[in-house]
């Protein structure tokens, strides 16, 4: 009986030690889980702040771009500085091209900050490129875009190039159905 009682007490002690160890492990895992949740929340906040700063920087850059273009549109002498076109253009064409650049850049900015999906960007581009002056501008600046390899702007420029080719090849006057909007 003494042996049985000793064995039962020993078993009880072992169980108590095991339960204590298990409780300690659960407590440790719970603390680690909470720590990881806190770190993930902090990382999410940092990423949100970074995106906000990036959007703010893009907005500042867009504003500065518009101010420079506006000055060039208003002053033919300043516009000559931006005359980087493949063929000579008249002062009137230069002003029109500068405005076309502003239209396109504004659309590009909206896409970059997430206000437009790629599909929406495509649909807007399809609309603004119905204007022959905007198309002339696009073709006149082809060499400038060629230097933008491996950027989102180059990818979107290629999308516009492909769309313009499809519009030129289309057998329909219904331009709004030409081209397949990109997915995602």
């Amino acid at each position: 009986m003494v042996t049985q009682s000793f064995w039962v007490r020993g078993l009880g002690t072992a169980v108590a030690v095991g339960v204590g160890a298990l409780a300690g492990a659960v407590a440790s895992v719970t603390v680690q889980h909470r720590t990881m949740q806190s770190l993930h929340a902090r990382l999410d906040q940092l990423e949100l702040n970074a995106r906000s700063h990036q959007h703010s920087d893009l907005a500042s850059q867009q504003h500065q771009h518009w101010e420079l273009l506006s000055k060039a549109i208003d002053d033919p002498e300043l516009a000559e500085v931006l005359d980087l076109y493949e063929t000579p253009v008249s002062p009137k064409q230069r002003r029109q091209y500068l405005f076309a650049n502003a239209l396109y850049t504004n659309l590009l900015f909206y896409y970059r900050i997430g206000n437009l999906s790629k599909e929406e960007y495509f649909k807007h581009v399809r609309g603004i490129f119905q204007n022959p002056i905007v198309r002339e501008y696009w073709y006149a600046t082809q060499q400038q875009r060629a230097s933008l390899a491996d950027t989102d702007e180059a990818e979107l420029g290629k999308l516009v190039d492909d769309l313009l080719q499809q519009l030129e090849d289309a057998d329909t006057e219904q331009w709004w159905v030409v081209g397949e909007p990109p997915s995602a």
Side-chain angles (χ1 to χ4, degrees):
M1 191 98 158
V2 171
T3 306
Q4 246 182 358
S5 177
F6 179 74
W7 186 79
V8 169
R9 278 187 289 191
L11 183 61
T13 302
V15 168
V17 168
V19 168
L22 181 61
V26 167
S28 176
V29 167
T30 300
V31 167
Q32 286 178 351
H33 181 70
R34 287 183 184 149
T35 301
M36 290 302 289
Q37 283 180 325
S38 175
L39 288 173
H40 282 293
R42 179 72 178 134
L43 183 59
D44 290 344
Q45 184 62 43
L46 288 172
E47 288 174 352
L48 183 63
N49 288 346
R51 277 193 302 275
S52 176
H53 287 297
Q54 182 183 22
H55 287 174
S56 176
D57 291 346
L58 281 170
S60 293
Q61 190 275 329
Q62 177 72 7
H63 181 74
Q64 185 177 23
H65 181 260
W66 174 245
E67 283 185 18
L68 290 170
L69 284 179
S70 293
K71 287 179 181 185
I73 289 170
D74 293 339
D75 185 339
E77 291 177 6
L78 293 178
E80 288 179 21
V81 174
L82 296 176
D83 191 343
L84 304 171
Y85 309 111
E86 296 302 306
T87 58
V89 296
S90 70
K92 177 183 174 181
Q93 282 177 303
R94 190 178 304 119
R95 289 181 74 215
Q96 290 171 332
Y97 287 4
L98 292 172
F99 190 75
N101 175 275
L103 285 175
Y104 179 73
T105 304
N106 188 57
L107 199 57
L108 183 63
F109 171 72
Y110 264 53
Y111 171 76
R112 282 182 171 160
I113 65 170
N115 284 357
L116 292 176
S117 67
K118 193 177 273 189
E119 181 180 352
E120 292 167 322
Y121 168 86
F122 177 86
K123 290 176 181 179
H124 283 282
V125 162
R126 186 168 50 193
I128 67 171
F129 278 88
Q130 292 310 301
N131 184 292
I133 296 169
V134 176
R135 283 189 190 195
E136 286 175 24
Y137 154 77
W138 190 257
Y139 294 131
T141 58
Q142 194 168 12
Q143 290 292 343
Q144 294 171 29
R145 285 188 308 284
S147 67
L148 300 174
D150 301 325
T151 64
D152 63 334
E153 190 171 348
E155 178 187 340
L156 295 172
K158 174 79 169 102
L159 185 139
V160 173
D161 290 338
D162 293 344
L163 173 62
L164 286 176
Q165 186 62 53
Q166 291 173 29
L167 286 166
E168 289 174 9
D169 294 344
D171 244 359
T172 181
E173 294 295 317
Q174 298 174 336
W175 58 266
W176 55 92
V177 299
V178 175
E180 188 65 32
S183 57

